[in-house]
Amino acid sequence: MIESIRNELLNHVDESYRKFQSSLIPGVENFLGVRRPVLRKMAAGILKENGRVFLKEAGRNSFEEILLRALVIGGLSAEKEEILKLTKEFIPQITDWCICDTFCNGLKAAKEYREEFWEFLTPYLTSEKEFEARFAAVMILEHYICDSWIDQSLGALYEIRQEGYYAQMAVAWAYSMCFVKYPEKTERFLQEHRLPEFTYKKTISKINDSLPVPREAKERIRKYGFGTRVRGRK
C-alpha cells in the first residue's frame, strides 16, 4: 500500500509549490511539493481503503507522507484509547509548525473526548521540547476555548514556558483567540498574570490583527496593554 501512496505523491509534485512551501516552513528539507487539497483527497481515500495499514507502513520519507499520517489519524474512526496511542506515537514526528497545526486541527476526537485528551496533553504543557509545547498550545486553541474550558485553558497556557519561537507564538495566538471569544475574562487574567515579554508583545499584536476584535478594544490594548508590563511569572 505504501509504495502506491508514494507513487501517487510523486505524480502530484508541483515544483513551484515546493519552493513556496520551503519559504514558509524553514528547516524542512524533505518537501515534495504536493498541494494540500490533493493530500486531503488522498487521506480520504486511505481512510476509505484501510487507514490502519497505511499508518503501520508509513514512515518519514517526505514531509507529505508525515502530513498524510496526521490527516489519517485525525480522520480515523476508532476508540479513544487507540486515538490517544496513535497521537502519542505521532508527536515525535512534529518538527515544524505546519505538521503541528494540521494535526491538532484535524484531531476531531479531542472534542468528543475532551476530558481524556486534556489529561493526555497536560504533561506537554511543561515540556522542554519546542514542538511538544506548541502541540499543547495549539490543542488548547483548537479544542478548549469554549464555555466549559476557558478557565482551565487560560491557566494551562500560562504553564507553557518553553522559550522556543514556535512554542511562544502558539501561546500568544491562543491567548488572542481567548480574547476574541472571552474578552473580559481573558483581559482580567492577563492583567493578573505576568507573561514573558515576547509572549506579551505577540499576544497584543495578534489581538490587533484579529478582525472580530472591536477597534476601540484594539486601541485600548495598544495604548495600555494588560496592566503593567513586566517580565517573569506572577
Side-chain angles (χ1 to χ4, degrees):
M1 182 181 187
I2 192 61
E3 291 305 320
S4 65
I5 294 298
R6 288 170 179 166
N7 288 333
E8 187 174 355
L9 287 171
L10 291 174
N11 289 335
H12 288 95
V13 167
D14 182 329
E15 180 61 21
S16 63
Y17 185 68
R18 186 190 69 77
K19 292 179 179 178
F20 173 70
Q21 281 283 85
S22 297
S23 68
L24 291 179
I25 313 174
V28 179
E29 299 179 352
N30 58 344
F31 287 115
L32 293 176
V34 181
R35 293 181 179 272
R36 193 64 58 83
V38 173
L39 293 174
R40 294 193 182 280
K41 185 176 180 180
M42 288 180 64
I46 291 168
L47 285 163
K48 186 175 181 180
E49 184 177 348
N50 197 325
R52 288 177 177 83
V53 170
F54 169 78
L55 292 174
K56 184 177 180 180
E57 296 180 351
R60 304 184 66 171
N61 281 32
S62 66
F63 169 85
E64 284 80 359
E65 191 169 319
I66 298 170
L67 200 57
L68 275 176
R69 282 187 64 92
L71 293 169
V72 170
I73 292 170
L76 195 67
S77 178
E79 296 295 326
K80 61 179 180 292
E81 291 81 7
E82 183 179 4
I83 295 296
L84 288 169
K85 179 176 180 291
L86 290 169
T87 298
K88 185 175 183 178
E89 293 171 350
F90 183 77
I91 288 172
Q93 297 187 42
I94 299 175
T95 57
D96 63 79
W97 66 263
C98 184
I99 295 288
C100 178
D101 298 2
T102 300
F103 182 56
C104 294
N105 175 265
L107 206 52
K108 305 303 183 186
K111 281 190 170 64
E112 184 177 358
Y113 304 112
R114 279 198 173 102
E115 292 281 356
E116 293 85 353
F117 267 89
W118 185 266
E119 182 178 352
F120 171 83
L121 69 86
T122 297
Y124 294 100
L125 297 171
T126 53
S127 174
E128 296 181 358
K129 296 181 179 180
E130 182 173 16
F131 286 102
E132 287 188 355
R134 184 179 177 94
F135 164 78
V138 179
M139 283 293 290
I140 290 171
L141 184 156
E142 293 286 357
H143 303 293
Y144 291 94
I145 302 178
C146 57
D147 290 353
S148 55
W149 286 92
I150 182 60
D151 293 325
Q152 295 97 313
S153 294
L154 289 169
L157 290 169
Y158 188 68
E159 292 302 311
I160 300 176
R161 293 289 157 156
Q162 209 287 334
E163 296 181 352
Y165 174 84
Y166 290 103
Q168 288 304 311
M169 283 297 290
V171 173
W173 179 25
Y175 273 134
S176 73
M177 291 299 99
C178 290
F179 187 87
V180 168
K181 295 184 178 181
Y182 302 94
E184 294 181 3
K185 186 182 290 287
T186 302
E187 184 164 359
R188 183 168 59 252
F189 181 91
L190 294 176
Q191 285 173 340
E192 296 172 350
H193 295 76
R194 302 171 181 177
L195 299 182
E197 186 173 0
F198 176 85
T199 312
Y200 180 94
K201 289 180 178 179
K202 290 301 180 181
T203 299
I204 290 178
S205 175
K206 286 189 170 293
I207 288 172
N208 277 283
D209 290 340
S210 299
L211 293 177
V213 177
R215 189 196 322 184
E216 58 271 21
K218 292 181 179 181
E219 291 176 350
R220 177 172 49 76
I221 294 300
R222 272 199 302 268
K223 186 173 182 180
Y224 299 109
F226 302 108
T228 303
R229 189 176 71 192
V230 290
R231 296 175 183 269
R233 300 178 71 90
K234 184 175 178 181

